Amino acid sequence: MRIAFWSNIREECCVTTNMACIAAVTSIMWTEKVAMLANHYKRSGGLGDIIMNEHEYIRKSEPGGLYPDNGLDYILKGLYAGADGAELIKNVAVPIFYSNMYYLPHGTIFNKEVFNYDFSLVYGKLFKSLDDFAEFVFVDTETNQNLSSKLILHSSDLIVVNISQNPFLIRDFFDNYSSLKDKVVFLIGSYQPEFAWSYSRICYEYNISRNRIGVIPYNMELKDAMQSGKILQFINRNFYKPSGRENSYFMRKCRDSASMIRKYIVKIRKQSIDVCNREYIDRVCQTASYMENMQ
C-alpha cells in the first residue's frame, strides 16, 4: 500500500518527522515490511538526516558500504533502461530498523528537474516494484505541486495530510485542496493541547471525523534526537517503556495515530478486494450469458 505524507504548507507541519515516527511505530507494532523514500532533497533536516546520524551516513556512503552512488536516481534510470525493478531496489534499499524497515536514499547529486522528468517516465514501474518489495510504502512528498508530487498523490492509496494548529494554514487546505478529501486522513504535527486550536476544535470547525485525524505531540527529546539522526532510536527506546510522562504521552499518541492510519489502509484494501470480486463476477456472468446465446 502506498501512503503519501504531504502538506499544503512547507516546513511548519513536520511532514518528514511525522512520517518517520509513523513508519517506525508501524514496523514495531505489526512487524510488516516498510519502505521509506522522499521525492525532494534538503541540505539538512531531510529524511536521511533524521533517521541516520552523521557517522552512519558516512559509513554507508563509503565504497562497499550500504549506500550506492546514485540511490533512487539509479533505480529510475535502471527502470527506464529495462532493468529488473526488484534487483534495483535490493541494491539501493538501506536496512535501518530491525529487519523490516528500509530507506531508499537519493544519490550523491540531486537535480530536481532531472528527477521529476525521470520519475514521470517510470513511476508506474517504480511503485509496482515497491509494492512487491514492502507491505507499506511511505513517501515524503514535496509541498510544491511539481510533476512527481502530483503523480505520487494521484497514485497513492492513502494521503496523510499534515496540518499545524495555525487556523490560516488549515483553512488554506480546505479552500484550495478539497479535491483530495476522498482519500485523506489528517495528522497534526508538533501538537500542543494547550493551544487555542486544539484537536477537538479542529474536528468541530472543519467537520473532520475523529477517526480520520491523529496527532504527533511536540516533544523536546524527539527534537534533539532528530538533530543527531537518532529519531528511530528514540522511538525504539520509548516504545515499550517510555522514560517520563512526556514521552509516555508522545508514544501513546503515536500508536493511536499509526492505528488510525492502518485502519484506513485495511478499509481501502477491503474495498479494493470487493471491487475486484464484483468485476470477476460480472465477467463470469457476461461469459455465461454469451455462451447461452451461442447455443
Side-chain angles (χ1 to χ4, degrees), residues 75 82 99 103 156 159 169-170 212 216 249 291:
I75 296 178
S99 59
Y103 169 52
S156 295
I159 301 171
L169 304 186
I170 301 172
R212 289 187 63 192
I216 301 294
Y249 171 70
M291 294 300 293

Side-chain angles (χ1 to χ4, degrees), residues 5-246:
F5 278 68
W6 175 85
S7 175
N8 55 311
I9 301 296
R10 186 186 294 272
E11 302 297 344
E12 188 169 331
C13 298
C14 311
V15 178
T16 303
T17 305
N18 293 348
M19 189 184 85
C21 290
I22 295 297
V25 170
T26 298
S27 70
I28 297 173
M29 288 182 73
W30 296 288
T31 65
E32 291 171 305
K33 199 171 182 180
V34 171
M36 296 193 300
L37 64 149
N39 74 323
H40 57 98
Y41 174 81
K42 294 181 181 179
R43 291 190 178 276
S44 62
L47 183 57
D49 295 320
I50 68 172
I51 62 176
M52 289 188 295
N53 61 45
E54 186 176 358
H55 173 72
E56 289 178 304
Y57 189 93
I58 293 172
R59 177 173 59 81
K60 293 175 181 179
S61 300
E62 290 173 347
L66 291 173
Y67 260 156
D69 289 336
N70 294 305
L72 188 55
D73 316 72
Y74 162 82
I75 296 178
L76 298 179
K77 294 185 185 301
L79 289 172
Y80 182 73
D84 179 57
E87 192 64 27
L88 292 170
I89 292 174
K90 180 181 176 182
N91 291 337
V92 169
V94 180
I96 53 173
F97 203 43
Y98 297 115
S99 59
N100 64 327
M101 188 172 179
Y102 293 81
Y103 169 52
L104 278 69
H106 282 294
T108 52
I109 299 175
F110 182 79
N111 183 295
K112 184 183 296 186
E113 287 72 25
V114 172
F115 177 86
N116 275 288
Y117 177 72
D118 289 347
F119 186 92
S120 69
L121 296 176
V122 297
Y123 76 95
K125 293 180 180 179
L126 173 66
F127 281 132
K128 174 63 171 65
S129 299
L130 287 170
D131 289 342
D132 293 339
F133 176 75
E135 282 81 11
F136 297 117
V137 179
F138 291 95
V139 187
D140 179 5
T141 310
E142 188 173 22
T143 296
N144 293 340
Q145 287 286 291
N146 57 37
L147 183 56
S148 63
S149 290
K150 290 179 180 178
L151 293 171
I152 290 167
L153 295 177
H154 174 75
S155 303
S156 295
D157 298 298
L158 182 68
I159 301 171
V160 180
V161 175
N162 296 257
I163 59 177
S164 73
Q165 291 172 270
N166 183 328
F168 299 104
L169 304 186
I170 301 172
R171 169 54 60 188
D172 178 77
F173 171 79
F174 286 95
D175 285 346
N176 298 302
Y177 300 96
S178 58
S179 61
L180 297 175
K181 286 194 296 183
D182 290 342
K183 59 175 182 178
V184 155
V185 295
F186 297 91
L187 201 55
I188 309 172
S190 197
Y191 179 71
Q192 299 186 62
E194 67 273 14
F195 281 15
W197 280 79
S198 65
Y199 166 88
S200 299
R201 183 174 179 183
I202 291 171
C203 291
Y204 175 77
E205 294 285 348
Y206 293 98
N207 195 29
I208 301 172
S209 171
R210 288 175 182 252
N211 62 5
R212 289 187 63 192
I213 185 168
V215 303
I216 301 294
Y218 176 82
N219 184 289
M220 196 65 202
E221 194 174 334
L222 173 74
K223 190 174 181 180
D224 292 341
M226 288 168 50
Q227 293 174 347
S228 57
K230 295 183 177 180
I231 192 171
L232 301 182
Q233 289 90 330
F234 169 79
I235 296 290
N236 188 42
R237 186 171 64 251
N238 288 283
F239 188 83
Y240 292 109
K241 292 184 178 180
S243 57
R245 286 171 50 184
E246 185 179 355

